[in-house]
Amino acid sequence: MKKIEAEQKALGGKVFDVLGKAIAGTELRELLIEAIRYGDQPEVRDRLNQVVHDKLDQQRLRELLEERALARDSMDIAKVQQIREEMERAEARRLQPHFIASFFLEAFTQLGGTLRQREPQRYEISHVPAVIRNRGRQIGVGEPLLLRYERICFEKDLISISGKPLAAFICSGHSLLDATIDLTLERHRDLLKQGTILIDENDSSEGTRALVYLEHSIQDARTNLNGSRRLVSRRMQYVEINPEGNTYNAGYAPYLNYRPLTDEEKGFVEKVLEESWLREDLEAKANTIFRY
């Protein structure tokens, strides 16, 4: 007990955390019984002291404490995989500034808007078309749209730059971006129905899969100026279907791992598109996976 007390002081009171590993319960019991029965014999006392000294060696106790800390902090493969999936899910759900900027600059110009870059990744909008401003009023979400913006940006740290005008932060939920998205979807929704062909380079097989995009939205009881219910949540969901008709949840942004066809590959996929299963109602099949 004196040895335990000494090591407890040396290790900051943690020795009892690993005492069971240092000396097993049955072994400790036998040592105590032997000490009580034969402790007055010098040879027995010396042997018991040596056993206790070896078992409660400070370096050995430190190693046991380190092992305990690692075991407590470690996670099994399933837990690690779950955390990784949650991180990927959060990253996929978060629209990256690069993608927002790439879309907005092209779509805004296509809708008749006028902008030009003033500083790196900061732009001046000299004219917001009436069609976008009107759509902003119809949607009725966020601040009213301006006729012009002295500066806009897509990164938070670029909103304020010394000696330059303050920039409007174009991100998910900004009225200008929402109106641009709404108009673009209205004018080009047929392209989503038409679809496209992509290559998954991570799949070594030559099989074909259909990737169906579904829009999941939640409305509340309030209405916009045009009388339609307000959307409080909109999320994209993706389903993959194989030739056998089996459906799989494809995750939160599978298309990020795919690439467009090369000219050499276009001739090959023309035969694939003739497969009969691709002419079935794939959207109806995809909807079955998310029914509650």
Side-chain angles (χ1 to χ4, degrees), residues 49-208:
N49 284 335
Q50 186 61 45
V51 171
V52 171
H53 181 272
D54 293 341
K55 294 290 185 179
L56 298 180
D57 177 68
Q58 189 173 124
Q59 181 60 35
R60 182 168 181 266
L61 291 174
R62 290 186 184 276
E63 292 174 356
L64 290 173
L65 285 169
E66 291 176 1
E67 289 178 7
R68 181 178 183 275
L70 289 173
R72 181 184 60 196
D73 294 338
S74 64
M75 294 176 289
D76 57 26
I77 295 177
K79 184 65 175 177
V80 172
Q81 182 65 23
Q82 179 184 354
I83 293 175
R84 181 182 292 115
E85 290 177 355
E86 289 175 355
M87 292 174 63
E88 291 176 351
R89 185 182 304 122
E91 188 69 12
R93 284 179 174 174
R94 174 178 173 268
L95 277 176
Q96 301 296 318
H98 165 76
F99 295 116
I100 294 177
S102 178
F103 164 78
F104 178 81
L105 296 176
E106 178 67 24
F108 184 75
T109 304
Q110 290 291 330
L111 293 172
T114 305
L115 56 76
R116 59 177 174 172
Q117 185 169 324
R118 287 297 192 179
E119 296 91 33
Q121 301 181 53
R122 298 177 95 240
Y123 303 83
E124 176 189 4
I125 294 180
S126 56
H127 174 64
V128 178
V131 64
I132 296 180
R133 287 183 277 117
N134 291 337
R135 182 54 56 93
R137 284 193 291 269
Q138 292 173 6
I139 294 175
V141 179
E143 299 179 357
L145 297 182
L146 305 178
L147 184 61
R148 63 182 301 272
Y149 290 83
E150 194 168 7
R151 291 292 188 277
I152 67 166
C153 67
F154 305 93
E155 300 273 1
K156 282 186 177 181
D157 55 0
L158 296 176
I159 295 175
S160 178
I161 295 180
S162 179
K164 301 297 180 182
L166 200 65
F169 180 42
I170 305 300
C171 61
S172 182
H174 191 281
S175 303
L176 185 58
L177 178 62
D178 287 348
T180 302
I181 291 174
D182 201 66
L183 280 169
T184 303
L185 285 174
E186 180 182 278
R187 296 185 178 188
H188 303 291
R189 192 177 294 274
D190 59 315
L191 293 177
L192 291 176
K193 288 286 187 180
Q194 178 180 327
T196 188
I197 303 171
L198 301 171
I199 299 294
D200 180 5
E201 291 187 330
N202 296 319
D203 187 352
S204 58
S205 69
E206 296 182 358
T208 304

